[in-house]
Amino acid sequence: MSKSNPVYAFLSHNKYWIVLIVGILIVGVLDENSFYQRVKYDLQIEELKTKIAEYNAQYERDEAQLRELRRNPKAITKIARERYFMKADDEDIFVLSDDLQPVKEEGDETAE
């Protein structure tokens, strides 16, 4: 190549800037360990830490409930009644719900 070639002249004059820009692009965006990936991983780590805190709180609640069940036998009947709608032989259970009832259309024979 001759020195009169404008591309060669540009590259030889700005070679350090070109290498610096290409290096920053590789480190900042293109590489698998890039700054972009690091930010993405940091966000994912924060999300996972939040989930860990939620699971630890749930574990503590369940552990406290388990201690209560072991300590108090009446707690078993309370949970059975509240969660599973179990009842004694001589009682009735009424379940009250705030759910909306489906609207009946006129002429709908299957509604009643």
Side-chain angles (χ1 to χ4, degrees):
M1 284 197 213
S2 68
K3 294 213 176 212
S4 63
N5 188 355
V7 175
Y8 179 74
F10 177 77
L11 291 177
S12 65
H13 183 63
N14 296 315
K15 60 185 167 190
Y16 296 112
W17 287 108
I18 292 171
V19 169
L20 183 66
I21 291 171
V22 169
I24 289 173
L25 281 175
I26 289 173
V27 171
V29 181
L30 301 176
D31 192 29
E32 71 179 36
N33 297 322
S34 68
F35 182 72
Y36 173 74
Q37 288 290 351
R38 180 179 171 142
V39 170
K40 195 164 80 170
Y41 290 148
D42 286 342
L43 292 174
Q44 187 177 12
I45 286 171
E46 290 301 318
E47 181 181 322
L48 291 173
K49 284 181 181 179
T50 304
K51 284 185 180 180
I52 287 172
E54 290 173 6
Y55 289 139
N56 283 336
Q58 181 181 359
Y59 173 78
E60 292 297 324
R61 285 191 308 268
D62 292 344
E63 191 69 28
Q65 188 176 24
L66 201 62
R67 280 193 302 269
E68 179 66 25
L69 288 173
R70 287 184 183 139
R71 189 172 49 90
N72 187 2
K74 290 184 180 181
I76 295 173
T77 59
K78 178 183 175 190
I79 290 175
R81 290 172 183 266
E82 289 177 358
R83 289 191 185 169
Y84 304 110
F85 303 114
M86 293 184 175
K87 65 180 185 89
D89 290 334
D90 60 342
E91 66 184 10
D92 293 327
I93 294 179
F94 297 98
V95 178
L96 304 176
S97 175
D98 291 339
D99 294 340
L100 297 175
Q101 298 297 325
V103 178
K104 297 178 187 177
E105 295 182 19
E106 291 182 31
D108 187 8
E109 296 175 8
T110 61
E112 292 187 324

